[in-house]
Amino acid sequence: VATAAAPNSVVSWPQIVDVSADGRHAYVVETRGSLGQSVEEVDSAYTAFPDGTSLRAYDIVDGQLNEGALLDDVGPNPQFVEVSPNGRFLLIGTEADGRELGIIPLDEDGRPKTPSFINLDPPYEEIDAEKRVRVAHLSPDGRTLAVNVGNVRIQFYDLIINDSGIPVRAEHKGNPIEVGVRLAVGRWTPDGRFFLLTDVIGYDSSLTMLMQRGGQVHVIAPPTSEKSARLIDSSRVGRFAEGLEISDDGTRVASIAMERTYLPELVFLETWPRRRTYLLTLLSLNPETGELTELDRVHAAGVLPEDVIFDETGTNLAVATFHCRKGPDRQRGFIDF
């Protein structure tokens, strides 16, 4: 196991790290900055920390992680980073009005160069951190962008690409589509026919967090010249489902859900259900129709699982988990296979 320091923050959806297709480079954005070591308590983890502004690149050589280039200013509180399908640039999202989408070219050695920014003119309802661009995902052909705006709607965009393969402008593609309650991360199917995303459902009060019901995975058909974006299917998964992945052949979908493992260690919650185990749900996806069918559910000990990924064969899964509620793994993160 190789390790390297990677300043980051949990105050985002699980989309702050990505790896190049050839497995040689990793990239991490820092959604929020750090407080001094003397600070032990804050009123809110979502507002007390300073703006994050950095992107760090790492080289992966013979199983080792080597810290590479650092960009100190990629915009305030970058929400996500994604390597483009052609491997020529990174997408990042910031909270800067009119500079919501950052485009960071990569040189032939995978090192990030000076960023440029695109105004997405998102369909906001209100302007605050939770209502801004949260996550964006580029289609496999690199031409269509799906953007989670304010966790309540998806706006699709056509990207205008220059001769170097770098986006220079984004144009709205149809009207936004509103689905679900509180949207999180998404994934395109390998053929770009459908866009899937998770819906954590509730998050607005202590009562909601105590009584959290199951989340969902939604399947959306992007807009075409003949049709608007439309909801194709939805499937119920675990409570507070954030992480999502699709197998390379496009036939399997994995959803990872926190259940109620986010609840604090308080006496009156000791017997509250779903505090110590998370839920992994495996679904089949019909690549022609977009229909979802549940195949299996697995409960496992662990608190705050953030993401899940298939291996290249599509027959194994890895789950990144924060720690266990009790026992020797209480202070250590781990990967479940």
Side-chain angles (χ1 to χ4, degrees):
V1 177
T3 61
N8 65 88
S9 170
V10 76
V11 188
S12 63
W13 295 127
Q15 192 72 22
I16 58 173
V17 56
D18 203 7
V19 179
S20 60
D22 61 11
R24 295 173 51 205
H25 310 285
Y27 306 94
V28 181
V29 289
E30 185 179 33
T31 298
R32 288 282 180 174
S34 300
L35 291 172
Q37 292 296 314
S38 62
V39 179
E40 296 183 356
E41 184 175 334
V42 296
D43 291 335
S44 170
Y46 294 90
T47 59
F49 289 82
D51 287 350
T53 60
S54 71
L55 166 83
R56 290 179 183 266
Y58 301 80
D59 297 324
I60 305 172
V61 182
D62 296 327
Q64 297 300 306
L65 279 167
N66 302 318
E67 189 170 315
L70 165 67
L71 292 184
D72 272 324
D73 188 8
V74 295
N77 302 326
Q79 295 293 316
F80 61 88
V81 60
E82 184 170 280
V83 182
S84 65
N86 65 12
R88 296 181 183 176
F89 62 92
L90 303 176
L91 293 173
I92 63 167
T94 83
E95 291 182 354
D97 291 335
R99 293 159 59 93
E100 295 87 3
L101 185 67
I103 305 297
I104 303 178
L106 299 172
D107 67 18
E108 58 184 14
D109 294 319
R111 291 186 295 254
K113 300 191 289 187
T114 303
S116 60
F117 296 90
I118 292 176
N119 180 5
L120 292 179
D121 188 22
Y124 292 134
E125 282 186 342
E126 303 173 44
I127 303 297
D128 60 48
E130 186 67 13
K131 300 296 183 182
R132 296 173 182 270
V133 167
R134 302 295 289 169
V135 181
H137 303 275
L138 197 53
S139 61
D141 66 3
R143 296 285 176 173
T144 303
L145 192 67
V147 178
N148 170 353
V149 180
N151 296 329
V152 295
R153 59 181 61 84
I154 299 296
Q155 175 68 61
F156 291 91
Y157 295 84
D158 283 322
L159 287 186
I160 311 304
I161 312 292
N162 66 17
D163 293 338
S164 300
I166 307 298
V168 293
R169 196 170 76 254
E171 298 179 350
H172 289 77
K173 187 174 185 177
N175 295 319
I177 177 172
E178 297 196 8
V179 294
V181 179
R182 189 168 189 260
L183 306 177
V185 301
R187 292 287 184 268
W188 288 88
T189 55
D191 60 6
R193 180 177 292 188
F194 301 109
F195 180 69
L196 282 69
L197 72 158
T198 53
D199 183 354
V200 302
I201 303 296
Y203 191 64
D204 55 356
S205 69
S206 297
L207 180 61
T208 299
M209 300 302 278
L210 281 170
M211 306 302 294
Q212 178 76 285
R213 64 187 192 274
Q216 289 186 301
V217 174
H218 303 296
V219 181
I220 296 174
T224 65
S225 56
E226 294 83 22
K227 295 181 179 180
S228 300
R230 60 199 188 281
L231 178 66
I232 299 298
D233 196 12
S234 297
S235 182
R236 186 71 66 179
V237 290
R239 298 170 180 85
F240 215 93
E242 288 191 31
L244 177 74
E245 192 61 81
I246 302 175
S247 61
D248 285 349
D249 66 2
T251 66
R252 295 289 184 270
V253 177
S255 164
I256 194 70
M258 292 185 182
E259 293 289 87
R260 297 190 182 109
T261 62
Y262 46 72
L263 292 176
E265 196 69 34
L266 299 173
V267 174
F268 77 92
L269 292 174
E270 187 67 27
T271 60
W272 204 262
R274 307 302 187 199
R275 288 178 66 246
R276 294 182 173 85
T277 58
Y278 65 78
L279 179 62
L280 172 66
T281 303
L282 184 67
L283 307 164
S284 70
L285 172 68
N286 186 318
E288 299 297 324
T289 66
E291 182 182 5
L292 293 169
T293 304
E294 184 176 317
L295 297 175
D296 199 8
R297 289 189 171 209
V298 176
H299 291 275
V303 173
L304 305 179
E306 283 291 339
D307 213 352
V308 58
I309 192 169
F310 283 92
D311 70 351
E312 64 181 355
T313 69
T315 56
N316 297 283
L317 289 164
V319 176
T321 310
F322 188 48
H323 59 61
C324 276
R325 177 70 67 177
K326 294 182 180 295
D329 288 326
R330 192 188 184 288
Q331 300 298 331
R332 298 186 66 186
F334 56 92
I335 306 296
D336 265 339
F337 291 95

